[in-house]
Amino acid sequence: MTALGVGEEWGEEEFRAFAAASGGRLLRTALLFTAEDPRDCPLARRLLVEALARTYARWGRIDGEDPYDLARVELTRGCLRRIRFRRGVREGRRGRGGGVSPGPGGDLGPLVQLRPLVRMVLVLRLHEGIDAERAGVLLGITAGRVDALTTRATRGFAAGAGPQCEAAARRALGAVRLPAVPVGVPERAVTEGRRVRGRVWVVRGVGVVGVLLGVGVLIAVALGEGGWG
């Protein structure tokens, strides 16, 4: 599915079709992010639904954008949130909770041994084909750092260095078995997306009320000062 053309509008039916068509590809990327066993990957499946839900929450405001790109951004952000939360748990800054750590790995090979952020760099660069600059923006690091992490990560896939290692890594990522996409993913994404959209409207409403109250206070102060003059 490509970007919206000028004047086009996509509704819920189009979103369901998009989620059904793109769910497998997004789930494979989520699985590579988490390095879980393809036969049992609850976190990857959860990341998939969350990414699609957040994409649905923005669905009516897409303007000339590729919905797959948007969903991939949400998938990446969701995984990053879990990495940061896990880091906070490990450093004692937050309570107990889940994160992203490698599972048994199945046929994921060296990918399992990589740190989560390095794994994400490798997947975005070699599996999704995103350039270093864009991957850096998504992950909050520099393009130079992306290149350095990619080079380091590919060394675990073949002897030597350079293009040979990168080619071996691409083959390994492409050979990972695709996990089964859960039944009813589009419907779950729509349901959760409505909740996300509702929370956004609540936050916006609270912000508007706060602004109005602030303006009211300023007016009251100005009128008060004028009354004393």
Side-chain angles (χ1 to χ4, degrees):
M1 185 172 286
T2 57
L4 278 171
V6 177
E8 289 186 73
E9 292 184 2
W10 289 349
E12 189 168 304
E13 181 179 346
E14 287 77 11
F15 173 80
R16 291 175 187 272
F18 162 73
S22 303
R25 181 179 172 188
L26 287 166
L27 182 56
R28 175 187 285 274
T29 300
L31 173 70
L32 295 174
F33 279 167
T34 63
E36 295 173 285
D37 191 318
R39 296 165 296 184
D40 182 23
C41 50
L43 180 53
R45 292 191 174 105
R46 183 63 206 153
L47 286 170
L48 168 67
V49 173
E50 288 180 0
L52 288 173
R54 290 180 179 276
T55 303
Y56 175 80
R58 297 179 54 188
W59 196 250
R61 303 192 306 277
I62 295 178
D63 183 16
E65 297 177 87
D66 186 338
Y68 181 82
D69 286 346
L70 294 178
R72 182 172 54 196
V73 167
E74 295 296 347
L75 183 67
T76 303
R77 288 174 176 170
C79 194
L80 275 177
R81 281 193 295 270
R82 281 169 167 77
I83 291 173
R84 288 164 181 162
F85 183 82
R86 183 178 179 84
R87 185 179 302 159
V89 171
R90 188 169 58 247
E91 295 175 0
R93 291 197 298 266
R94 299 184 183 179
R96 297 176 62 186
V100 176
S101 57
D107 54 1
L108 293 173
L111 199 66
V112 179
Q113 307 304 322
L114 299 175
R115 289 186 293 111
L117 182 61
V118 179
R119 201 159 55 232
M120 292 182 71
V121 166
L122 194 68
V123 172
L124 289 175
R125 289 287 287 115
L126 301 188
H127 178 68
E128 286 292 327
I130 296 177
D131 61 49
E133 184 174 351
R134 190 175 177 192
V137 171
L138 278 175
L139 299 172
I141 57 179
T142 66
R145 182 67 173 157
V146 169
D147 285 335
L149 291 176
T150 302
T151 299
R152 183 190 307 171
T154 56
R155 290 172 183 163
F157 289 85
Q164 181 179 354
C165 293
E166 185 173 313
R170 289 181 189 275
R171 288 194 299 271
L173 294 175
V176 173
R177 290 170 292 168
L178 178 65
V181 178
V183 176
V185 163
E187 290 72 22
R188 288 177 59 192
V190 168
T191 300
E192 294 194 20
R194 287 171 179 164
R195 296 194 192 106
V196 172
R197 187 180 289 173
R199 289 196 295 269
V200 169
W201 281 110
V202 168
V203 170
R204 288 180 179 174
V206 171
V208 170
V209 170
V211 170
L212 293 176
L213 287 175
V215 171
V217 169
L218 291 174
I219 292 174
V221 169
L223 291 175
E225 290 177 350
W228 287 103

